[in-house]
Amino acid sequence: MASIVRALLNPNYRLYFGGQIVSIIGNWMQQIALSWLIYRLTDSTLMLGMVLFAGQFPNLLLAPLGGVLSDRFPRRKLLMVTTSLSALQAGILAILSLTGYLQPPVIVVMALVLGMINGVDQPIRQSFIPELVERREDIANAVALTSFTIHSSRFIGPVIGGFVVATLGEAACFGLNALSYVGVLWALGVMRIHKLVPAVNRTVGDALREGIQYVSGHRAIRLLIFIVTVMALCSGSYQVLLPYFARDVFHGDVSAFGLMTAAAGLGACLGTIFLASRRSIDGMEVRIILFSAVVAVALSVFVLTTVFAVAIAALMVMGFCSINTVAASNALIQSLVEDQMRGRVMAIFSMAFFGITPVGNLLVGFSARYIGAKPTLLMCASVIGLMSFSAWRARSRIDFSLPPIGAPLGGSPASVAGVADGAGKP
């Protein structure tokens, strides 16, 4: 048990962990409220996709800026700014909902505002995690536990959100989310960060080019980014259509929608526990590829079944395996990357996952409108299966060797060219 939570031995990470749980529960409550509200007002799967697209697409454009800022300024202070802005956005949503001004066009605009904040925030938050632990070998555990906060909250938040929407209305979810950010701000405020990562004093353009060259020259990280990109495009897009499946396939209401979302969250939560329990990263690339293949199978089962219990089980399997693909890729990348490149590499990771996800959401929304929800998701499952096969064939030609265990996180950085040249087998 101690090995599962070893990152919590670090005081700063304990503060971060606790603050995140409270805040992310609020985030999921807000997401449930927004999705249900837009579907209630429009009866349109396309509008569901539009709201998710507006909330996530800015990651693709703004993550590079977040990565450069992350490598140039103190990450804790940057996170305090982005967290405060997120709290303000949730508060405005609550006011607009109470006054009756939260109509579909306004919902899309407010989702876009939050997406812009998150676009800058995500790479900063991702690259901040290694600063909270003392040893390189604890990075993967910290990433896994951070994913646990996201997905345990995903299990709890939708259930609470569905109940609050049904009893108090959407505005209550938005207001509670605004309050939830207080915990994160408090945790960030009392942290004492002692590590000093050398700042990157280059122009934004030069810094971005260096990050792209680093990833393209590092064969292991390049393959992991490819896997994450395909998963973002195809595996998470079923969530856009969950209101449709809940209401029109399984004849349920907002509670059924919340339960289905929570089932995927519970599976992901269990997946993070499995990931955190791994004592070594050795062979993690094999598990990443195998779990991605299982996602393709589980998604097909979810689409084809007419039994609600089977759909719930398939969602749990998808959640478990998706987290052991995406979060494990994150952990492996964080362990492979050099400290002075971390912000920009995690910006590319954020673009690949958080930025591509809304593209998939929008494509799924359009496709479901014209060819149907079930054929659309079956195509997604096929693409994931093909990706898994390609990645399995490629992995044997790539060296996933890590820096020596016990190496400090703030050591002297290696040159970009040197690391890239040594990243693959000759």
Side-chain angles (χ1 to χ4, degrees), residues 9-228:
L9 296 175
N10 299 273
N12 285 330
Y13 185 76
R14 283 200 303 272
L15 288 167
Y16 183 80
F17 182 87
Q20 284 290 102
I21 288 179
V22 176
S23 176
I24 297 173
I25 288 176
N27 291 344
W28 276 107
M29 292 173 63
Q30 176 166 303
Q31 184 59 58
I32 287 291
L34 271 183
S35 295
W36 192 257
L37 178 61
I38 195 70
Y39 195 54
R40 177 171 64 81
L41 293 175
T42 66
D43 274 332
S44 171
T45 56
L46 178 59
M47 286 304 298
L48 280 171
M50 283 294 294
V51 169
L52 288 176
F53 178 82
Q56 296 173 329
F57 181 72
N59 278 281
L60 195 59
L61 304 177
L62 296 178
L65 175 61
V68 173
L69 291 174
S70 177
D71 284 339
R72 182 171 292 184
F73 299 105
R75 291 161 184 160
R76 183 175 68 93
K77 293 181 179 179
L78 290 172
L79 288 177
M80 293 185 75
V81 173
T82 56
T83 300
S84 298
L85 292 174
S86 296
L88 179 61
Q89 186 268 356
I92 293 173
L93 273 178
I95 294 171
L96 292 174
S97 182
L98 285 171
T99 55
Y101 288 103
L102 197 57
Q103 296 302 309
V106 181
I107 292 173
V108 174
V109 170
M110 292 303 295
L112 181 63
V113 170
L114 183 60
M116 294 172 67
I117 298 168
N118 287 337
V120 176
D121 175 272
Q122 286 292 349
I124 300 170
R125 193 169 298 278
Q126 295 287 337
S127 55
F128 183 56
I129 293 173
E131 291 187 33
L132 304 175
V133 298
E134 297 298 328
R135 302 183 307 165
R136 183 178 294 275
E137 57 265 36
D138 287 340
I139 293 176
N141 184 255
V143 170
L145 291 178
T146 302
S147 295
F148 175 81
T149 67
I150 295 171
H151 295 288
S152 61
S153 303
R154 181 182 176 185
F155 172 58
I156 301 168
V159 175
I160 298 174
F163 175 78
V164 172
V165 169
T167 56
L168 300 176
E170 292 89 359
C173 283
F174 304 143
L176 289 172
N177 183 41
L179 291 174
S180 73
Y181 286 106
V182 174
V184 179
L185 288 170
W186 175 82
L188 290 170
V190 299
M191 285 178 186
R192 295 294 178 265
I193 304 297
H194 302 295
K195 292 178 189 172
L196 295 177
V197 178
V200 175
N201 296 315
R202 297 174 180 82
T203 65
V204 172
D206 288 343
L208 289 177
R209 280 192 294 273
E210 189 176 46
I212 293 170
Q213 290 170 358
Y214 181 88
V215 170
S216 63
H218 198 304
R219 297 176 65 192
I221 292 179
R222 190 174 67 211
L223 177 63
L224 293 169
I225 293 291
F226 166 68
I227 292 171
V228 168

